[in-house]
């Protein structure tokens, strides 16, 4: 029900994110509609660097220039914006936080993050001797009276709250109801166990392990990959084995739900870098909702979601022998695989749109009312 005054209904949420915020804030479209707002505006904080990446990745030039032209005006006008609600995502200690601080002077800013280690040396952004100055700038932003903070997991909630010295809300990523309804095609008699990888095709996401695993398992498994990235040619070449199917990048969410619905197991064998490890793993919850247990690297995000032996398994990085042994055991014991699928579905319940919607709606409505006073 729309409870906003006529003047408040003139607002539109601004989603200001390092990458494509639609992936993370899709539910805010529904929240906006429920509050009587126009659809949110999605903009990238990173403008010039994003254009360079698009061109390096050979994105169509017209699309790259259009995205650049869409994002640049906000960069130029942020100081003059007033009375808006901005939902922002940015890695800890990124110096672009200065733009968010400028927006916070006359707008309400909801900072959203899934990073957990705010106090240690394991950080996505470091600047040598200037790192402490960057931290000070972040504390200034996070303590601003017009800023509220939201974390995706309890671990990131504690890290952010401890660093900022203030309350941090806990709102997990949401998963569309369609994943929970994904039809699972029964195979009788059972064929090869169906393994799925969805994500960016790169080294740190463990794509080489997925391909090596397909070769090791042979006819025991059928491995499906969806996504795009620098290892695309390696994935395409692996199809010659007959055990690998490459679907390419999938932009249509309905089709993605169907893909998940045909999988017996999701693979997420990420590899740590000096500045990154797998965090929440929205794809893990999408797999759970579809009834697919998840086999993943023992990273901080998967550890929060996966109960080994119940709804998936956790592995040391690159331990292909352990992956293969566990997969072969499940391929031979479909009753146990079914029990794990049921447990996976149950694990996904707290992340359904219906479970998360009211949390976002209450937070947005409160900040809309506060933003009205800043106009």
């Amino acid at each position: 029900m729309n409870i906003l005054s006529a003047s408040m209904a003139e607002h539109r949420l601004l989603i200001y994110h390092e990458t494509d915020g639609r992936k993370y804030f899709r539910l805010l479209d529904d929240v906006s509609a429920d509050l009587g707002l126009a659809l949110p505006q999605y903009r990238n904080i990173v403008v010039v660097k994003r254009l360079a990446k698009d061109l390096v990745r050979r994105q169509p030039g017209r699309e790259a220039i259009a995205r650049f032209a869409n994002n640049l005006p906000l960069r130029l006008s942020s100081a003059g914006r007033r009375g808006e609600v901005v939902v922002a995502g940015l890695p800890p200690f990124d110096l672009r936080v200065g733009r968010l601080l400028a927006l916070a002077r006359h707008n309400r800013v909801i900072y959203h993050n899934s990073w957990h280690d705010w106090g240690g040396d394991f950080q996505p952004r470091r600047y040598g001797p200037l790192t402490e100055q960057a931290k000070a700038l972040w504390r200034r932003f996070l303590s601003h009276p017009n800023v509220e903070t939201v974390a995706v997991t309890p671990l990131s909630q504690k890290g952010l709250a401890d660093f900022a010295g203030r309350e941090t809300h806990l709102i997990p990523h949401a998963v569309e109801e369609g994943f929970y309804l994904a039809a699972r095609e029964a195979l009788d008699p059972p064929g090869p166990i169906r393994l799925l990888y969805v994500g960016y095709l790169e080294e740190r996401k463990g794509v080489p392990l997925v391909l090596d695993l397909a070769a090791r398992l042979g006819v025991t498994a059928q491995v499906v990959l969806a996504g795009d990235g620098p290892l695309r040619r390696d994935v395409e070449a692996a199809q010659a084995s007959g055990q690998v199917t490459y679907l390419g990048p999938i932009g249509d969410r309905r089709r993605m739900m169907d893909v998940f619905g045909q999988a017996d197991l999701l693979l997420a064998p990420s590899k740590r870098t000096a500045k990154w490890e797998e965090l929440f793993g929205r794809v893990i919850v999408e797999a759970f909702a579809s009834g697919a247990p998840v086999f993943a690297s023992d990273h901080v995000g998967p550890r929060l979601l996966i109960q080994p032996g119940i709804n998936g398994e956790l592995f040391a990085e690159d331990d292909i022998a352990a992956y293969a042994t566990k997969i072969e055991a499940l391929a031979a014991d479909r009753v146990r695989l079914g029990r794990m699928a049921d447990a996976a579905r149950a694990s996904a319940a707290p992340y359904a749109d219906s479970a998360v919607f009211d949390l976002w709606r209450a937070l947005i409505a409160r900040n809309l009312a506060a933003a009205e006073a800043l106009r």
Side-chain angles (χ1 to χ4, degrees):
M1 179 186 299
N2 177 14
I3 60 173
L4 301 182
S5 66
S7 60
M8 287 171 64
E10 296 174 3
H11 289 277
R12 174 183 290 193
L13 300 182
L14 171 62
I15 314 298
Y16 199 28
H17 199 266
E18 183 193 24
T19 61
D20 184 6
R22 288 174 179 82
K23 292 193 304 182
Y24 308 107
F25 302 111
R26 167 196 51 78
L27 190 60
L28 294 187
D29 288 8
D30 296 336
V31 169
S32 293
D34 192 67
L35 290 171
L37 306 175
L39 288 175
Q41 300 178 57
Y42 291 89
R43 298 292 185 268
N44 285 87
I45 294 178
V46 181
V47 178
V48 177
K49 187 176 179 180
R50 175 60 191 265
L51 175 62
K53 280 187 175 181
D54 282 347
L55 296 177
V56 168
R57 292 175 181 174
R58 299 183 179 178
Q59 295 288 327
R62 183 175 297 176
E63 291 182 14
I65 295 299
R67 185 181 291 112
F68 175 78
N70 190 46
N71 290 319
L72 186 59
L74 177 60
R75 171 81 66 84
L76 300 176
S77 67
S78 58
R81 303 178 82 95
R82 286 179 174 269
E84 298 187 28
V85 176
V86 182
V87 181
L90 194 65
F93 312 140
D94 191 306
L95 289 175
R96 296 180 185 90
V97 73
R99 296 176 199 157
L100 300 183
L101 187 58
L103 284 168
R105 292 171 188 153
H106 303 293
N107 303 277
R108 296 289 295 184
V109 178
I110 300 171
Y111 175 69
H112 180 271
N113 192 259
S114 59
W115 192 256
H116 60 292
D117 185 10
W118 283 79
D121 294 327
F122 184 48
Q123 299 295 341
R125 301 287 188 272
R126 297 191 66 80
Y127 304 96
L130 298 179
T131 299
E132 290 305 314
Q133 285 89 332
K135 289 183 178 181
L137 185 62
W138 271 83
R139 285 196 174 92
R140 182 180 168 196
F141 164 65
L142 294 172
S143 64
H144 197 284
N146 288 335
V147 173
E148 290 199 66
T149 56
V150 175
V152 174
T153 68
L155 192 60
S156 58
Q157 180 188 32
K158 183 180 186 307
L160 182 53
D162 287 349
F163 178 81
R166 63 185 301 178
E167 177 189 8
T168 294
H169 306 286
L170 176 62
I171 305 180
H173 288 311
V175 175
E176 296 104 308
E177 305 292 344
F179 282 97
Y180 296 80
L181 304 174
R184 190 168 221 79
E185 180 185 344
L187 298 180
D188 188 20
I193 189 168
R194 298 168 294 184
L195 310 180
L196 175 65
Y197 170 87
V198 175
Y200 195 53
L201 304 181
E202 63 175 343
E203 179 85 20
R204 75 172 186 171
K205 286 291 190 175
V207 172
L209 184 143
V210 174
L211 299 181
D212 291 345
L213 192 57
R216 176 178 289 229
L217 292 170
V219 296
T220 303
Q222 181 66 37
V223 181
V224 175
L225 296 95
D228 202 355
L231 298 183
R232 176 171 182 158
R233 290 184 179 178
D234 293 353
V235 175
E236 290 173 335
Q239 294 185 98
S241 68
Q243 270 74 57
V244 172
T245 301
Y246 176 51
L247 303 179
I250 300 177
D252 182 82
R253 296 296 285 170
R254 288 293 172 187
R255 186 183 174 213
M256 184 63 78
M257 292 170 193
D258 291 340
V259 169
F260 272 92
Q262 298 303 310
D264 292 315
L265 198 70
L266 180 81
L267 299 175
S270 301
K271 300 179 67 173
R272 287 181 184 85
T273 70
K275 298 181 179 179
W276 176 86
E277 68 176 293
E278 197 68 67
L279 298 179
F280 178 83
R282 190 168 52 100
V283 68
I284 294 177
V285 181
E286 290 170 349
F288 282 172
S290 305
V294 179
F295 281 19
S297 298
D298 188 11
H299 287 195
V300 61
R303 279 200 302 272
L304 292 168
L305 298 166
I306 295 173
Q307 299 170 276
I310 306 297
N311 58 10
E313 298 285 357
L314 295 169
F315 298 90
E317 290 181 9
D318 293 328
D319 192 350
I320 189 171
Y323 274 95
T325 298
K326 294 280 189 178
I327 290 170
E328 287 169 342
L330 279 182
D333 188 352
R334 297 305 174 101
V335 173
R336 181 165 179 262
L337 178 59
R339 289 198 300 267
M340 293 184 75
D342 291 341
R345 289 191 188 93
S347 300
Y351 306 99
D353 278 355
S354 57
V356 179
F357 179 89
D358 288 343
L359 298 174
W360 269 118
R361 190 188 189 284
L363 182 63
I364 295 299
R366 183 173 68 250
N367 278 273
L368 284 168
E372 184 72 6
L374 299 173
R375 300 192 86 174

